[in-house]
Every structure is written in structure tokens, then in C-alpha cells.
Amino acid sequence: MGIQCVDCVKEASRAVPSARTMFGGTVRGGRPVVTLTIVGLCVVSWVLQLVTGGEWTQRWAFAPSVGLDEPWRFLTAAFLHSRSPLHILFNMYALWLTGPFLEQAFGRGRFIALYVLSAIAGSVGYLLLADPMGYAWITPVVGASGAVFGLFGAIIPVLRRTGRSAAQIVVLIAINMAIPFFVGGIAWQAHLGGLAVGLAMGAGFAFAPRERQALVGWLLPAGVAVVLLAATLWKYASVGWL
């Protein structure tokens, strides 16, 4: 019976190129770790919202009036939800439908970038369309909807790249974009912001030439982050807050 050198096996495994998806993501077996982690963080955060009597919500929710002094709220609001179980259940269900697919397609790193920037874009979208003299400027918003709409948007170019129809996801987006016009209390501006970033990043990741996928994986998120920052600073400057 032969004996294998452990160090030799490790060295050989490093030399074997890892399998990649057509979008450049590393093919991984097992559970969608990033998606499950996001779901876990949202659930834990929601429980804290309930047990603290709203204090947790007030600490991390986003409102244009506090975003400049506490910029982390642009992201942390995406891990909060209303007290109604339906809000978090819908968002987590939508995340579970789309997250594992995109996490596998793009790889964990780019999927995290997509989710985080879509979440921030939701807050930026709300900020850009808020009237500084209106109630929306001081009204806190919460929810992962901006990030979820980013995932919805990213799926469209992925399906087109693989030659599959995106009609169903387009109809789903249209329905969900229409709901706020019939049901009050929904920040459609956040949906729009997340959707725009998701479409842009999804298209960039999906159609990048194979030899440039790694480069695009770094440059595209950096470019989107710069655009979001510039848009945020422009809005605050336009109302005399800078």
C-alpha cells in the first residue's frame, strides 16, 4: 500500500486551478455561507429590535437628517425591519430565492460587494429623492428591500448572459415597484436605488471578458462606491449641509 506525503499533497492541490463559473466565481459545494450569514444577521437584529423596545432600531435606522453625521446608518438600516413579521419574512424569502444563485455565480467576494453596495444604494436613493423641507427628511427607514432589489436587478443580466428568459423576474420587479403606490409606508426610493446598482453591477460582472473578470471584480465595486459617495455629498451640499 502506497503512502502519500501530506505536504506533497497540499502542494499539489495548490497547483491545481480551482473550477470557475462562467462569471468567474469559484465553484463551491455545500451551503451558501454568505446568504445564510446575512439572513442570520437580519434575524438576530430583528429580535434585538423587539426585545429592546425599539432602541436598537433608533440606533441603526437611516434618515437623511442623521446620515451625514452617522454614515454607517446607510448600511445598518438594511439589517433592520419593521415589527411586523411579514416584512422580514418577505425580504428573507426573496433573499433566499436569489442569494444562493448569485453567490455561486459571482463568488462570495463579489456577492458581498453586490449586496452591501445595493443596500447602501437603497439609502442613497431615499436620500436623493427626499425633500429637505419635508417629512421624509427626518423619517427613519429600515429594511433589506434595497439590497434585495439589487439582487433582483443583478439576476437580469445574468439570465441574459446565459441565454435564459428574464421575463419572470422583470414582472416580479414591476409588481413590487407598483406596490408602494397602493400600500403606504414603503420606501420605493430605496427599491429604485438598489435596483439601479444591482443592474449595473450585475451587467458588469456578467459580461466582463473572462481574462478581465478578476479586474472588474475589484474596479466595478470601487467605482460604484465612489459614485454613491459623490451623489451623497452632492445632495447634502445642495441643501447646505456641507
Side-chain angles (χ1 to χ4, degrees), residues 127-132 137 230-241:
L127 167 70
L128 293 178
L129 296 174
D131 180 2
W137 195 257
T232 298
L233 295 177
W234 170 82
K235 177 65 175 186
Y236 281 122
S238 68
V239 297
W241 279 46

Side-chain angles (χ1 to χ4, degrees), residues 80-132:
L80 304 172
H81 290 84
S82 68
R83 296 178 63 88
S84 170
L86 292 178
H87 189 202
I88 188 171
L89 285 175
F90 174 81
N91 279 338
M92 294 305 98
Y93 178 67
L95 173 58
W96 183 249
L97 287 179
T98 56
F101 172 68
L102 291 173
E103 183 178 342
Q104 180 67 260
F106 293 151
R108 292 174 180 172
R110 284 183 292 177
F111 177 69
I112 292 173
L114 170 65
Y115 190 88
V116 168
L117 289 172
S118 295
I120 294 173
S123 297
V124 173
Y126 185 79
L127 167 70
L128 293 178
L129 296 174
D131 180 2

Side-chain angles (χ1 to χ4, degrees), residues 30-53:
R31 299 178 178 180
V33 174
V34 176
T35 301
L36 288 173
T37 300
I38 295 172
V39 171
L41 289 173
C42 287
V43 171
V44 170
S45 183
W46 186 67
V47 172
L48 288 172
Q49 289 179 256
L50 297 181
V51 300
T52 61

Side-chain angles (χ1 to χ4, degrees), residues 98-192:
T98 56
F101 172 68
L102 291 173
E103 183 178 342
Q104 180 67 260
F106 293 151
R108 292 174 180 172
R110 284 183 292 177
F111 177 69
I112 292 173
L114 170 65
Y115 190 88
V116 168
L117 289 172
S118 295
I120 294 173
S123 297
V124 173
Y126 185 79
L127 167 70
L128 293 178
L129 296 174
D131 180 2
M133 304 301 294
Y135 188 63
W137 195 257
I138 60 174
T139 302
V141 291
V142 297
S145 300
V148 167
F149 267 80
L151 302 187
F152 284 166
I155 283 182
I156 295 175
V158 169
L159 293 177
R160 295 296 301 272
R161 178 70 174 80
T162 57
R164 298 159 66 183
S165 173
Q168 290 185 341
I169 191 67
V170 171
V171 171
L172 179 62
I173 292 172
I175 292 174
N176 281 276
M177 288 298 293
I179 288 176
F181 295 99
F182 301 96
V183 180
I186 299 177
W188 59 269
Q189 304 93 326
H191 298 178
L192 189 61

